[in-house]
Amino acid sequence: MNLQVLTFAILILLTAKATGQARVDEHFRQLLKQAGVEFLEPVEARYKPAHVKKNPFQNYDYAIRSRKEGIEIRYLIRPYRQDSPVADAPHVEAARLVMHLATNDQDFLIAGREVAPEALSGFFNADWGMQYFFRPKTGFADWKHCELLALHKDGQGTAFVLFLFDEPSRELGNRFYALRFRENGIEKPGG
């Protein structure tokens, strides 16, 4: 009898752990692989996949949300394409994205800063990175604020992480390290 209770308890714990993490869809997983990017899934605060809607302002590849933290995180992954005119100009693509998504209201400013060099080369394994802060257009998101993290690795791709929230919090800083480029580059098929 005790063995059955123990087995049942273990099954309950394993099931609870499995449902506590977001399930990454196959399309997003393939984009990450093509760009050589690692997705660092938050395991606390009950992040769950958010419905990815077609958006008139900007589509995105994947999204997760935590009600507990009051944050939605949207991801856009752009694997390197030699034929793309912005493949080697991530600063242009990032600036265009910010100008496109930020409200046109004159009362709100856009702030930007470079990602610290030690974080860029150390943690993110990226060649270029910027952070932008702005109020998003209501057609893109119903949240009051957006922090955009743009990262680029030469020959691999560009990744955009959009943190959407109403009130800044410590939890937002805990989510900053959301993606990183692989040390050994793009994962080869079957690898």
Side-chain angles (χ1 to χ4, degrees):
M1 178 70 175
N2 285 341
L3 183 59
Q4 291 174 334
V5 172
L6 180 61
T7 303
F8 181 71
I10 290 172
L11 285 173
I12 294 290
L13 289 173
L14 290 174
T15 304
K17 176 68 174 166
T19 59
Q21 295 179 333
R23 286 161 89 224
V24 179
D25 73 15
E26 190 56 34
H27 171 72
F28 184 59
R29 194 179 312 274
Q30 286 300 316
L31 286 172
L32 293 169
K33 189 175 182 179
Q34 291 170 10
V37 174
E38 293 178 60
F39 172 55
L40 305 171
E41 179 181 356
V43 292
E44 66 280 346
R46 296 184 181 174
Y47 273 86
K48 298 198 186 293
H51 180 66
V52 176
K53 304 173 193 169
K54 288 209 176 224
N55 191 289
F57 285 99
Q58 179 64 55
N59 289 324
Y60 47 97
D61 302 311
Y62 186 67
I64 57 176
R65 168 184 256 172
S66 170
R67 284 189 192 185
K68 180 179 178 184
E69 292 186 351
I71 300 171
E72 180 175 331
I73 307 172
R74 297 180 184 176
Y75 302 87
L76 288 93
I77 308 298
R78 302 294 174 250
Y80 180 78
R81 286 186 33 216
Q82 196 169 6
D83 63 339
S84 171
V86 292
D88 295 315
H91 55 288
V92 173
E93 190 174 6
R96 183 213 56 85
L97 184 61
V98 170
M99 295 301 138
H100 182 60
L101 296 179
T103 183
N104 294 327
D105 189 326
Q106 293 179 354
D107 294 333
F108 297 102
L109 300 175
I110 298 170
R113 69 178 180 194
E114 291 183 15
V115 174
E118 54 277 359
L120 194 62
S121 63
F123 181 82
F124 293 116
N125 193 30
D127 297 314
W128 176 88
M130 282 289 289
Q131 276 180 280
Y132 297 94
F133 302 89
F134 57 92
R135 177 164 287 223
K137 289 178 177 154
T138 54
F140 176 67
D142 294 329
W143 300 88
K144 292 179 184 174
H145 305 284
C146 181
E147 175 185 353
L148 169 66
L149 172 63
L151 299 167
H152 176 80
K153 179 79 171 174
D154 293 337
Q156 284 186 227
T158 306
F160 300 101
V161 185
L162 296 118
F163 302 94
L164 299 158
F165 55 97
D166 287 333
E167 296 297 326
S169 67
R170 178 179 306 161
E171 288 79 14
L172 186 62
N174 296 339
R175 302 294 157 240
F176 182 67
Y177 299 98
L179 297 174
R180 70 184 312 263
F181 287 93
R182 283 185 172 69
E183 293 287 334
N184 54 356
I186 299 170
E187 189 176 313
K188 304 294 184 224

